[in-house]
Amino acid sequence: MRSRYYGTPESLEFNEALAVYEYVVPRLDKVIIRHGQYLIDTEALCAPVNLDCFNCHLLHGHNCCEQGQPYSMHGDNLTAFEKHAFTILHSYTHDGRAEETEKKGLFEQTANTNYYPSIRKFKGNCLYLIEDNGKRMCAIHRYALDKGIHPAKLKPFSCSLFPLEIIESDLGVLVTALTPLTERFSRWGDYYRNHYSCINPERRPHNAPNEYFAADGYVPAWMWARDLLVFYWGEDVVQEIESFLTLSGTSQK
């Protein structure tokens, strides 16, 4: 039961790999459709999600990059990031983190990263979390947009993947999303569903302003990571996968 989180070098632990098998097998050829190497989870990929990220800290007090840390990177994604990593820090931060990182290095390996090299933290948060005009954002993403680079080329794959989950296993490449059933094996676990409105509308405080995580902002999980998968897999593959999904009445994100 070999399994790996797509976009990283990280293997699933035995219990997680077993959970993938137990999830897929009874659903195969029912709600999980095999298409070539892909196992398309037609139910989970249509779960409602609203990534209202700029309002997240206003509603919840913090966002997922605070106290967070990206999953590890590899391949072209890692190579491209390393090429720009220090330029980004020097361009968008002025609090000593660039100098500290030059001494300590970009990556750290701890129990929290399962001892895989991951972008280190700075003052408890992701090294690249910045605040600009009251908005908390990813400096990597902003730099990419400012330079005319597709953000998926530089950002850790996992940062752009949420709320989807992609797992390579002996069964095939499972393309799914975070739900109460997939959190047993997802790299995201149960943390998001327990703490954030984006993936769990029941976490939205009743007194929240109407524009924060508005009901009409929830669209199928698939839509949030569609551009990422086009960048990695191409439009043709994405359209083939999409043909198995019920996405009518949703807007493109």
Side-chain angles (χ1 to χ4, degrees):
M1 291 184 294
R2 295 172 298 174
S3 297
R4 180 172 67 88
Y5 291 119
Y6 189 92
T8 84
E10 303 191 29
S11 298
L12 279 69
E13 296 182 358
F14 175 81
N15 287 341
E16 295 168 333
L18 178 60
V20 172
Y21 183 86
E22 293 175 341
Y23 178 79
V24 170
V25 170
R27 293 172 173 81
L28 197 56
D29 299 324
K30 297 173 185 175
V31 297
I32 295 180
I33 307 301
R34 184 182 293 279
H35 178 66
Q37 65 175 324
Y38 302 106
L39 303 173
I40 306 166
D41 191 345
T42 60
E43 280 190 345
L45 290 173
C46 291
V49 175
N50 183 355
L51 299 189
D52 189 7
C53 298
F54 284 145
N55 288 323
C56 188
H57 72 284
L58 300 175
L59 193 64
H60 298 296
H62 54 84
N63 63 29
C64 56
C65 294
E66 295 177 70
Q67 307 301 314
Q69 194 164 20
Y71 269 68
S72 56
M73 309 163 68
H74 69 172
D76 293 341
N77 185 205
L78 175 60
T79 301
F81 165 72
E82 289 183 314
K83 181 179 178 181
H84 297 268
F86 284 103
T87 301
I88 298 171
L89 289 176
H90 285 290
S91 298
Y92 297 99
T93 69
H94 308 283
D95 52 9
R97 74 179 76 184
E99 293 75 17
E100 179 178 311
T101 304
E102 286 176 342
K103 294 177 182 178
K104 294 183 177 179
L106 287 165
F107 306 102
E108 62 183 358
Q109 295 172 257
T110 68
N112 290 332
T113 71
N114 292 324
Y115 298 101
Y116 288 92
S118 299
I119 293 174
R120 69 172 53 257
K121 289 185 178 183
F122 177 75
K123 295 183 177 179
N125 300 325
C126 174
L127 179 65
Y128 287 90
L129 176 67
I130 61 172
E131 185 166 335
D132 184 35
N133 292 323
K135 294 182 177 180
R136 298 176 189 180
M137 63 184 68
C138 173
I140 305 171
H141 194 116
R142 178 177 170 181
Y143 172 86
L145 294 178
D146 287 348
K147 297 297 183 181
I149 302 170
H150 196 301
K153 184 173 183 178
L154 302 184
K155 286 179 68 175
F157 178 84
S158 297
C159 294
S160 302
L161 180 64
F162 183 83
L164 267 57
E165 179 59 89
I166 303 178
I167 293 174
E168 296 179 86
S169 75
D170 293 338
L171 296 170
V173 179
L174 175 63
V175 185
T176 184
L178 182 59
T179 72
L181 296 176
T182 63
E183 65 187 22
R184 290 179 57 205
F185 55 80
S186 171
R187 74 189 79 189
W188 316 118
D190 62 2
Y191 181 79
Y192 288 87
R193 291 192 57 81
N194 287 338
H195 293 88
Y196 294 110
S197 300
C198 59
I199 199 74
N200 184 1
E202 294 182 3
R203 294 296 303 168
R204 186 179 185 274
H206 295 300
N207 61 348
N210 291 334
E211 66 270 24
Y212 294 179
F213 295 92
D216 61 2
Y218 287 83
V219 299
W222 167 262
M223 305 305 296
W224 295 104
R226 187 187 192 280
D227 287 348
L228 171 73
L229 298 185
V230 168
F231 180 83
Y232 275 87
W233 295 347
E235 180 68 33
D236 289 345
V237 170
V238 166
Q239 287 189 10
E240 288 174 10
I241 294 174
E242 209 165 55
S243 69
F244 294 96
L245 307 179
T246 305
L247 300 172
S248 60
T250 63
S251 58
Q252 295 286 329
K253 291 291 176 180

